[in-house]
């Protein structure tokens, strides 16, 4: 499908608005092609393959960011990740970026309100990520993803999500004016597959040992034990 000057202008304006640069406007345009369009127009590619790729890039960037930023156990990281990359989280970002206005839909989907359906908007967000990864590489795609993932993570934390070590320190300091003390009591296994056992001391009380594959995660588990069992 040949791009008109008007369409190229719309796509360029979108790039300027969200801070990305595409060498191939055709690649970006494809990211906006819903499958309902290709069902009605022969020879037009839809965005489903780009969505598949973008979903993986989005997951990788988000997981890496959370791993570096937080000390939380794997279960917490997975929960946070699932929230910030969900359809519920991505659809409002898509509307903010004006993606709804650029979608190309089949007549039936257009008439049924597809332009504002959260699933279609979220899928298009992922397709754009996939297209940008192919067009510009991982680093620019990562920068784009973080532009909306970091605010989403910060928003979750502003609503009260804190890692267990932070929660424990705040509560224990408020009660005693002291800090929790973490003790590595054992480290076993070969270098490539170690297991760490950690206790946390709250004054004279000791909680643990908690066991995990990293010292950070063992500390988080010990902190959770203390939070659940210490009388604040």
């Amino acid at each position: 499908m040949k791009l008109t000057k008007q369409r190229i202008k719309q796509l360029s304006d979108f790039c300027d608005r969200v801070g990305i640069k595409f060498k191939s406007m055709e690649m970006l345009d494809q990211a906006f092609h819903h499958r309902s369009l290709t069902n009605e127009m022969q020879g037009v590619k839809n965005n489903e393959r780009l969505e598949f790729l973008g979903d993986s890039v989005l997951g990788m960037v988000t997981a890496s960011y959370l791993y570096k930023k937080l000390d939380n156990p794997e279960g917490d990281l997975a929960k946070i990740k699932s929230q910030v990359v969900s359809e519920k989280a991505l659809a409002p970002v898509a509307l903010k970026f004006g993606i709804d206005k650029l979608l190309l839909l089949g007549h039936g989907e257009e008439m049924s309100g597809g332009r504002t359906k959260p699933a279609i908007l979220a899928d298009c967000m992922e397709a754009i990520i996939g297209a940008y990864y192919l067009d510009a590489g991982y680093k620019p795609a990562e920068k784009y993803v973080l532009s909306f993932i970091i605010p989403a993570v910060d928003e979750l934390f502003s609503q009260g999500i804190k890692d267990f070590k932070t929660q424990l320190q705040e509560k224990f300091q408020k009660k005693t004016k002291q800090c929790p003390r973490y003790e590595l009591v054992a480290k076993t296994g070969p270098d490539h597959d170690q297991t760490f056992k950690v206790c946390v001391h709250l004054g004279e009380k000791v909680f643990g040992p908690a066991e995990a594959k990293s010292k950070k995660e063992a500390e988080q588990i010990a902190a959770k034990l203390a939070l659940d069992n210490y009388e604040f």
Side-chain angles (χ1 to χ4, degrees):
M1 195 163 82
K2 188 174 180 180
L3 300 184
T4 63
K5 288 184 179 180
Q6 182 184 6
R7 182 64 175 176
I8 292 171
K9 173 77 162 57
Q10 290 174 335
L11 295 171
S12 296
D13 289 346
F14 169 76
C15 288
D16 291 341
R17 193 160 58 246
V18 302
I20 60 180
K21 292 181 180 179
F22 263 83
K23 296 186 285 289
S24 171
M25 282 299 176
E26 290 77 11
M27 176 77 74
L28 175 58
D29 187 57
Q30 186 185 332
F32 291 98
H33 293 186
H34 187 253
R35 66 175 176 271
S36 62
L37 178 72
T38 58
N39 290 340
E40 296 179 10
M41 295 180 65
Q42 286 189 343
V44 176
K45 293 181 179 179
N46 65 37
N47 65 6
E48 289 185 325
R49 282 167 54 83
L50 291 174
E51 175 204 333
F52 164 77
L53 179 59
D55 176 65
S56 294
V57 176
L58 172 64
M60 177 63 196
V61 172
T62 305
S64 178
Y65 173 72
L66 293 174
Y67 181 86
K68 292 172 184 175
K69 177 181 172 66
L70 305 174
D71 282 336
N72 299 50
E74 180 272 339
D76 287 351
L77 297 180
K79 188 181 296 184
I80 295 168
K81 175 175 173 281
S82 69
Q83 290 186 61
V84 298
V85 303
S86 68
E87 176 184 304
K88 183 179 177 182
L90 292 178
V93 177
L95 289 172
K96 178 183 172 185
F97 286 175
I99 285 172
D100 56 318
K101 298 177 179 65
L102 291 169
L103 278 167
L104 296 178
L105 307 167
H107 179 71
E109 191 63 66
E110 184 76 74
M111 296 306 292
S112 68
R115 197 167 291 279
T116 56
K117 288 180 180 177
I120 291 177
L121 290 167
D123 288 349
C124 188
M125 282 285 291
E126 293 176 345
I128 293 166
I129 295 165
Y132 197 36
Y133 169 76
L134 290 175
D135 187 84
Y138 182 79
K139 277 296 179 183
E142 178 186 46
K143 184 179 179 182
Y144 171 60
V145 169
L146 291 177
S147 74
F148 55 85
I149 286 297
I150 291 175
V153 173
D154 290 344
E155 176 64 21
L156 276 181
F157 276 83
S158 73
Q159 295 171 3
I161 297 176
K162 295 180 181 178
D163 65 90
F164 297 129
K165 286 180 68 176
T166 301
Q167 291 181 50
L168 181 62
Q169 181 163 324
E170 289 177 353
K171 288 187 174 185
F172 190 60
Q173 280 186 325
K174 185 176 181 181
K175 181 178 175 69
T176 68
K177 309 300 181 189
Q178 299 176 35
C179 289
R181 182 173 64 85
Y182 295 87
E183 179 188 4
L184 178 63
V185 295
K187 182 171 67 172
T188 58
D191 289 345
H192 68 280
D193 189 26
Q194 292 185 324
T195 297
F196 297 82
K197 291 184 178 180
V198 171
C199 289
V200 59
H201 298 256
L202 302 183
E204 295 181 357
K205 291 188 177 293
V206 183
F207 298 91
E211 184 175 311
K213 289 297 183 181
S214 76
K215 185 168 174 281
K216 285 183 178 181
E217 187 169 353
E219 288 174 349
Q220 287 288 344
I221 297 170
K224 180 68 164 60
L225 280 172
L227 283 166
D228 290 343
N229 294 285
Y230 187 79
E231 292 185 8
F232 290 100

